[in-house]
Amino acid sequence: MTNQTISQNVYEKPVTLKNILKFAIPTIAMTVFMSFYTMVDGLFVSNLIGTDALSAINLTAPIIQLVTAISTMLATGGSAVIMKKMGEQKNDEAKEDFTFLILVNVFVGLLMCGLGYLSINHIFASMHLSVEVTDYCVKYLSYYLLFTVPILLMNNFTLYMIASEKATLSFLCSVAGGVLNIVLDYVFIAILDMGISGAAIATGLGYSVTALVGLFIFSRKKNLLHFKKPVFRFHVLTSAATNGCSEMATALVTGIITMMFNWTMLHYVGENGVAAVTIIMYVLMFASSLYTGYSYGVAPMTSFYYGEKNYEKLKKLISISLKVIVFISIFTVITSFSLTKPLVSIFAHPDNPVYHLAITGNKICTIALLFIGFNIFASGTFTALSNGIVSAILAFSRSFVFMLITMLILPAILGVNGIWLATPVAELMALVLSIGMFLKYRKKYQLC
């Protein structure tokens, strides 16, 4: 029995909660673990170096998100295009496109790395930060950029492993990378006293694990997806870009909104406010990883069923998924409210002014978890259905338009609490738009 037949049998199983979770749980575990070791990075930095260094990591985040935005676009959009072709039984063409898109990512990585080094000093000089925080920013980003290509490959191989029925391997790679990151954080920061540079190198090496394993796995011809002599098809690149533009928009505007948060906090509170924002973002990222992992996990199923025009399975998949999102939303809200003080105390001691800012912020921002899951799932579903335009509208409105509106209005009225409230209000506005899009396209995809 060939790998192709095995894969088809997996997709041909009945659409039940049990079978969906078998497909999605490894991906959920992977994204949760990835967010966990990002938090561990912050834990080591804040406790062994200081909250100024923690602020610096947040201040470099927009640049890092900009660097990975194009890769995210090609990874999510490319996965949808390729799995749709697999559903249409165009297997050789899918493999050629897969190899072509990976090569495009390598080129993009080298280009973005070069641009990053050319602009690094100018970026932070314009922020009017303290000398110490500026130095932390430059050091962290300069070492992080060394790993641009491995990080882009990691983003791609993570999704393609899932699509190739190797979600468990993708999870194991994330665990291995995370453990390596944690160990190297301690070695580089606590033992070798490399400071924030050590944190950047540890992160880069941790991310490189999936890149190296992916290069090996996808070089094997018995894998469902594997490297094949690439064929340049401009329409494949444009289709991948169109389908994944919502994810790129999310990455780009998330960076812009992060900068807005930072600037607003610097205006109202100072650098302590930036550190508090960083802590809240870690908590929201950790909770949101459940939704992201689930959406990534079911996306190949959505694309495959759409490609073979099996609308009955597609309808059932969407219906069950919405119930799963409701459950996760309630669970994360209760957990975040209950564990606010223990979570914040991991990063800042009660005698630190950052602690009290983060406590208040987390309690308010937690409300957003009621809506985030639906918005992430809606955008991911339209990407998987090869409707990148709608997905982009949802993602861009949620991450930029609505956040921009709330960030401009609420802090002016409510001060610091308005900054925290901006996220829940923006997510609620995005939820209304997501529901509207599902209702509008329900007949086209036969979801009713």
Side-chain angles (χ1 to χ4, degrees):
M1 182 179 289
T2 66
N3 280 305
Q4 179 182 333
T5 305
I6 294 172
S7 176
Q8 288 176 337
N9 287 338
V10 170
Y11 284 104
E12 288 171 0
K13 286 182 178 179
V15 179
T16 63
L17 177 61
K18 181 180 178 181
N19 287 335
I20 292 172
L21 291 180
K22 281 182 179 179
F23 209 97
I25 282 177
T27 315
I28 295 172
M30 175 194 68
T31 54
V32 167
F33 193 84
M34 286 177 69
S35 66
F36 171 73
Y37 73 72
T38 301
M39 290 177 67
V40 170
D41 256 357
L43 174 64
F44 275 105
V45 169
S46 61
N47 285 279
L48 297 179
I49 305 175
T51 52
D52 279 348
L54 187 63
S55 299
I57 289 180
N58 191 22
L59 290 165
T60 61
I63 295 95
I64 291 170
Q65 287 158 348
L66 175 64
V67 168
T68 59
I70 296 177
S71 172
T72 302
M73 171 188 70
L74 294 174
T76 54
S79 177
V81 170
I82 288 168
M83 289 313 298
K84 184 172 181 288
K85 285 191 175 183
M86 296 293 283
E88 296 168 344
Q89 305 302 310
K90 299 176 181 177
N91 296 337
D92 288 338
E93 193 173 318
K95 293 167 189 172
E96 292 167 355
D97 295 342
F98 162 66
T99 309
F100 166 60
L101 290 174
I102 291 298
L103 291 175
V104 170
N105 273 272
V106 172
F107 173 76
V108 169
L110 293 172
L111 179 63
M112 297 302 289
C113 180
L115 292 174
Y117 278 113
L118 288 174
S119 57
I120 189 169
N121 289 314
H122 303 288
I123 295 170
F124 300 112
S126 63
M127 291 186 181
H128 307 293
L129 304 168
S130 66
V131 174
E132 186 176 18
V133 172
T134 300
D135 185 54
Y136 281 140
C137 290
V138 172
K139 282 184 178 178
Y140 186 82
L141 189 58
S142 61
Y143 281 95
Y144 191 97
L145 286 172
L146 292 173
F147 298 92
T148 304
V149 171
I151 289 170
L152 300 192
L153 289 177
M154 180 273 297
N155 286 339
N156 280 265
F157 290 152
T158 294
L159 291 185
Y160 285 120
M161 284 181 191
I162 296 166
S164 301
E165 297 301 317
K166 294 188 179 296
T168 302
L169 177 62
S170 183
F171 167 63
L172 292 175
C173 288
S174 298
V175 171
V179 171
L180 179 64
N181 186 13
I182 292 168
V183 171
L184 292 180
D185 267 333
Y186 180 76
V187 172
F188 291 159
I189 300 173
I191 298 177
L192 300 180
D193 196 27
M194 294 173 64
I196 200 167
S197 301
I201 295 170
T203 299
L205 290 174
Y207 284 150
S208 298
V209 171
T210 301
L212 292 173
V213 173
L215 287 171
F216 173 74
I217 290 297
F218 292 114
S219 295
R220 303 173 68 189
K221 291 188 176 180
K222 68 177 184 178
N223 198 52
L224 174 65
L225 274 179
H226 59 77
F227 295 131
K228 189 179 178 69
K229 185 178 179 180
V231 176
F232 180 87
R233 297 185 179 96
F234 184 73
H235 72 276
V236 170
L237 184 57
T238 56
S239 294
T242 303
N243 286 331
C245 63
S246 62
E247 282 70 20
M248 182 186 74
T250 299
L252 286 174
V253 300
T254 298
I256 294 170
I257 293 301
T258 300
M259 285 192 289
M260 286 186 63
F261 263 108
N262 293 339
W263 290 337
T264 308
M265 271 300 182
L266 285 169
H267 173 72
Y268 281 93
V269 184
E271 290 171 354
N272 285 335
V274 177
V277 168
T278 309
I279 294 171
I280 302 306
M281 285 186 173
Y282 281 147
V283 175
L284 286 179
M285 177 185 63
F286 186 74
S288 297
S289 64
L290 292 166
Y291 313 122
T292 304
Y294 182 83
S295 297
Y296 281 170
V298 300
M301 299 175 73
T302 303
S303 298
F304 193 93
Y305 297 147
Y306 179 57
E308 70 174 3
K309 302 187 186 305
N310 194 331
Y311 294 108
E312 189 60 36
K313 281 190 173 183
L314 183 61
K315 177 182 176 180
K316 195 168 184 181
L317 176 64
I318 299 294
S319 176
I320 294 175
S321 294
L322 290 174
K323 294 173 184 176
V324 172
I325 295 295
V326 170
F327 174 80
I328 297 175
S329 298
I330 295 172
F331 172 76
T332 53
V333 168
I334 293 173
T335 304
S336 184
F337 267 122
S338 304
L339 299 178
T340 291
K341 289 186 177 180
L343 285 171
V344 173
S345 64
I346 293 174
F347 298 93
H349 299 295
D351 59 348
N352 191 322
V354 172
Y355 175 84
H356 300 287
L357 280 169
I359 289 288
T360 303
N362 190 67
K363 287 180 178 178
I364 297 174
C365 284
T366 290
I367 300 170
L369 294 175
L370 289 170
F371 319 121
I372 289 175
F374 296 98
N375 296 327
I376 290 174
F377 178 72
S379 180
T381 297
F382 280 106
T383 296
L385 292 170
S386 295
N387 195 333
I389 300 300
V390 171
S391 182
I393 291 171
L394 292 177
F396 187 74
S397 298
R398 170 192 172 228
S399 301
F400 184 69
V401 177
F402 298 145
M403 280 300 301
L404 181 62
I405 292 170
T406 56
M407 280 295 293
L408 289 175
I409 296 174
L410 295 180
I413 299 172
L414 302 173
V416 175
N417 285 341
I419 300 174
W420 301 128
L421 194 58
T423 299
V425 174
E427 292 290 348
L428 177 59
M429 294 165 71
L431 176 63
V432 174
L433 181 60
S434 295
I435 292 172
M437 287 299 182
F438 265 117
L439 292 175
K440 179 178 179 180
Y441 287 92
R442 68 188 187 279
K443 290 184 179 179
K444 178 178 178 179
Y445 300 112
Q446 300 185 28
L447 301 178
C448 62

